[in-house]
Amino acid sequence: MSSGRVRRPLTAWAFLAPYAVAVVLLIALPALLNLGYAFTDHTGLTRDPRFVGLDNARRLLSDDFLVDSVRASAIHLALAVPLRLLAAIGLGLLLAAPRPGGRWFRVAVYLPTVVPDVALAVLFLWVLNPLYGPLNQLLGLFGHPGLNWLAEPGSARLAVALMLAFPIGEGFIVVLAARRMLDGRLYEAAALEGCGPFGQLRRLTLPLLAPVLLLLAVRDTILTLQVNFVPAYVLTDGRPANATLYLPVYIFDQVFEFSGFAYGAMITSVLMVVTGVIITVLLLLVRRWRVLR
């Protein structure tokens, strides 16, 4: 016999509440604490930090190593983000259609993503070895003498970007799923109109996937700026000539090697602001080009 109670369906807020609590506790609150420490003289060892106002901000203006770090991060962003996007989009579109052995190819693309970053970096130390590394041996087949990958600024930057071009599983899965959701009748109609594969890619696939591609571009920009610590630290430790002294590596050095917790917090705040500015510019460019309708 019914009790007379009417069960109300759970709203979206009920599902989002645990995630919102986690965001507040793990992201928003630490960010506010970081911003507060940026205006103190906290070293990470003392209990009672002292408020020093804008001293850390003035130190930023005279820090030559910070200039090198910002330059290295900008170059890394220009190298790694297009490389990751091209790999994820190209492989996602290529493997979206059913083909013999396609399941194993998709597994192979996703597999590097589940490998721990440190393990992947150690593996790349072998791949990039100038004497017996397979990459130089492969270049030797084409008559190239090979590169001393981690000893020269340009090749060291390229080496880190190449390593980050392998763990692209999340972006690959998103592109794969989005491509399979497109209506096949559109492609049939385009084929009847005489539109070839490249024309379909340019006029159908890429415009229809524009929101997904924008999401991936924003995500990879954030990821490349803020989660490049492990490859740079393990492969090069910021060398040579500060070519891979990315902002996360410089922050780590300041906080844990020089006990400059407050100064590291100030640089972290700058990194957050720089990331926000780049994302805003990207969204404005997309809006100006009218990619999204």
Side-chain angles (χ1 to χ4, degrees):
M1 188 173 177
S2 176
S3 61
R5 295 181 179 178
V6 178
R7 292 186 178 181
R8 296 181 179 179
L10 292 175
T11 63
W13 289 108
F15 289 103
L16 293 177
Y19 179 77
V21 171
V23 168
V24 171
L25 294 179
L26 301 178
I27 298 179
L29 184 58
L32 291 175
L33 290 174
N34 175 84
L35 186 61
Y37 280 126
F39 298 96
T40 68
D41 62 351
H42 191 36
T43 63
L45 302 175
T46 57
R47 292 185 177 180
D48 300 320
R50 182 173 57 89
F51 179 76
V52 295
L54 297 177
D55 287 357
N56 290 322
R58 283 190 286 268
R59 181 181 171 184
L60 290 175
L61 301 177
S62 60
D63 190 347
D64 293 334
F65 287 100
L66 179 63
V67 175
D68 291 341
S69 183
V70 171
R71 182 186 300 113
S73 294
I75 295 173
H76 177 65
L77 186 70
L79 285 174
V81 171
L83 193 60
R84 286 175 56 87
L85 286 177
L86 285 175
I89 296 169
L91 291 172
L93 296 179
L94 181 65
L95 298 176
R99 65 184 70 247
R103 177 181 303 177
W104 300 108
F105 287 120
R106 291 189 288 271
V107 170
V109 173
Y110 190 81
L111 187 60
T113 306
V114 302
V115 177
D117 291 341
V118 174
L120 190 60
V122 172
L123 176 63
F124 257 76
L125 284 176
W126 167 69
V127 171
L128 300 170
N129 189 284
L131 297 179
Y132 52 81
L135 187 54
N136 271 356
Q137 293 182 8
L138 179 63
L139 292 176
L141 296 177
F142 297 94
H144 193 282
L147 298 172
N148 196 358
W149 286 96
L150 303 179
E152 300 175 0
S155 58
R157 294 187 182 108
L158 182 58
V160 178
L162 284 176
M163 177 189 158
L164 290 178
F166 280 85
I168 56 170
E170 296 93 343
F172 166 73
I173 291 296
V174 170
V175 174
L176 185 70
R179 172 60 183 87
R180 288 188 168 183
M181 291 178 62
L182 298 181
D183 193 348
R185 292 174 296 183
L186 295 174
Y187 292 90
E188 294 175 1
L192 291 175
E193 293 292 333
C195 190
F198 289 102
Q200 294 175 15
L201 175 66
R202 184 170 62 90
R203 298 182 179 183
L204 282 178
T205 306
L206 294 181
L208 291 174
L209 293 182
V212 174
L213 302 184
L214 174 62
L215 174 64
L216 291 179
V218 170
R219 173 191 173 275
D220 273 14
T221 300
I222 298 172
L223 182 73
T224 303
L225 277 175
Q226 301 188 3
V227 195
N228 53 19
F229 170 77
V230 171
Y233 191 75
V234 175
L235 292 178
T236 61
D237 194 17
R239 295 182 288 269
N242 295 335
T244 59
L245 186 66
Y246 307 134
L247 284 169
V249 179
Y250 190 51
I251 292 169
F252 176 87
D253 289 343
Q254 290 296 325
V255 173
F256 294 102
E257 293 190 14
F258 306 120
S259 298
F261 189 93
Y263 188 56
M266 178 61 74
I267 301 174
T268 303
S269 302
V270 171
L271 176 58
M272 294 171 61
V273 172
V274 169
T275 304
V277 169
I278 293 175
I279 297 303
T280 302
V281 171
L282 178 61
L283 294 176
L284 290 176
L285 287 175
V286 170
R287 183 178 179 182
R288 180 178 180 181
W289 293 338
R290 297 181 180 179
V291 174
L292 302 180
R293 291 180 174 87

